[in-house]
């Protein structure tokens, strides 16, 4: 087995917990993933298990990747990602959502929703200036310059720019329900990315 799976965010719904409380959850299609390669310390310098997810026609895969999949007797897939091995794993083995149990905590990695080019008020939560008539200073960043030294803008200033569409990992989200027969996980919390986005679900580092 491995400590995680590749999956796809399907959308949201709600579940009742044991106390009768209604909890909003995100539905994730977790697997089935196939083991495409097992990396060893002797050959590769580190140990890992490479999983493949999301079958696609062979015409949509490059020739080097197609040879890689054929060597492992694994269908051509859209996504490859490495995970830590937990116990014995064989090339070609199918890993399903039963890796996770109800009540377990997971870390979910994905690409956040892109929000385009945004100003400092939305992007960095600047307060802005007065909204009154004649102010002439509402949502601008304000002065950012230095004096004669260093005569430039310091690095890492919080300025307007591209917001979102970056890799995000949200830690310690709770698995409210797991359905291995349907390859579904119901996760409570902020799962990054849009509906239909690819995600990586791992056992939480924080327990």
């Amino acid at each position: 087995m491995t400590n995680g799976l590749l999956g796809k965010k399907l959308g949201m719904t709600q579940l009742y917990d044991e106390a009768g409380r209604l909890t909003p959850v995100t539905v994730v299609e977790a697997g089935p993933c196939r083991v495409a390669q097992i990396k060893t310390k002797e050959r590769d310098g580190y140990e890992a298990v490479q999983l493949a997810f999301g079958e696609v026609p062979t015409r949509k895969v490059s020739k080097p990747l197609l040879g890689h999949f054929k060597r492992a007797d694994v269908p051509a897939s859209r996504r490859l990602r490495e995970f830590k091995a937990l116990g014995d794993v064989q090339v070609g083995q199918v890993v399903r959502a039963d890796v996770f149990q109800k009540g377990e905590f997971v870390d979910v990695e994905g690409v956040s929703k892109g929000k385009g080019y945004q100003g400092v008020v939305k992007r960095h939560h600047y307060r802005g200036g007065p909204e009154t008539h004649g102010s002439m200073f509402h949502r601008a960043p304000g002065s950012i310059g230095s004096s004669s030294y260093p005569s430039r803008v310091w690095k890492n200033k919080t300025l307007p720019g591209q917001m979102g569409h970056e890799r995000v990992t949200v830690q310690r989200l709770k698995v409210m329900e797991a359905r291995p027969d349907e390859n579904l996980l119901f996760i409570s919390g902020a799962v990054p990315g849009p509906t239909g986005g690819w995600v990586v679900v791992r056992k939480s580092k924080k327990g």
Side-chain angles (χ1 to χ4, degrees):
M1 303 296 280
T2 63
N3 73 327
L5 283 175
L6 281 156
K8 186 195 292 188
K9 183 175 176 179
L10 298 183
M12 293 193 70
T13 185
Q14 48 194 9
L15 295 174
Y16 285 98
D17 61 11
E18 294 81 359
R21 291 172 296 202
L22 196 62
T23 306
V25 293
T26 301
V27 186
V28 174
E29 179 189 353
C33 299
R34 290 182 177 268
V35 178
Q37 186 180 0
I38 298 175
K39 302 206 171 183
T40 61
K41 191 166 288 186
E42 295 76 27
R43 187 185 63 219
D44 305 290
Y46 65 100
E47 295 181 350
V49 177
Q50 188 185 74
L51 296 184
F53 175 72
E55 292 186 21
V56 292
T58 55
R59 61 185 171 79
K60 293 190 175 183
V61 179
S62 65
K63 285 187 177 180
L65 266 181
L66 194 57
H68 180 67
F69 289 130
K70 282 185 177 179
R71 193 179 307 116
D73 196 22
V74 170
S77 303
R78 191 180 296 275
R79 289 287 186 273
L80 286 171
R81 188 59 68 91
E82 292 180 1
F83 296 88
K84 184 188 296 184
L86 299 177
D88 293 331
V89 184
Q90 303 295 326
V91 173
Q93 179 180 337
V94 179
V95 184
R96 301 184 181 277
D98 54 4
V99 172
F100 304 103
Q101 305 296 325
K102 181 178 179 180
E104 191 174 2
F105 289 97
V106 295
D107 298 338
V108 183
E109 173 192 326
V111 177
S112 62
K113 290 182 180 180
K115 293 177 171 57
Y117 191 94
Q118 298 298 334
V120 293
V121 172
K122 180 169 182 176
R123 191 181 185 210
H124 299 296
H125 312 293
Y126 276 32
R127 181 181 174 185
E131 295 293 335
T132 50
H133 176 69
S135 164
M136 304 294 287
F137 179 75
H138 302 303
R139 298 174 69 90
S143 175
I144 60 170
S146 303
S147 185
S148 58
Y149 176 81
S151 297
R152 60 181 172 81
V153 176
W154 290 99
K155 281 186 178 180
N156 303 318
K157 292 289 288 185
T158 51
L159 296 174
Q162 174 67 35
M163 182 179 179
H165 195 67
E166 57 187 1
R167 193 172 72 173
V168 176
T169 301
V170 182
Q171 294 184 312
R172 212 169 185 276
L173 301 180
K174 189 175 183 180
V175 178
M176 300 300 294
E177 188 174 332
R179 298 180 185 173
D181 51 329
E182 300 177 47
N183 300 306
L184 295 179
L185 293 177
F186 296 80
I187 301 172
S188 172
V191 174
T195 297
W198 302 96
V199 294
V200 175
V201 185
R202 288 189 176 92
K203 292 180 182 293
S204 178
K205 289 184 177 181
K206 297 182 178 178

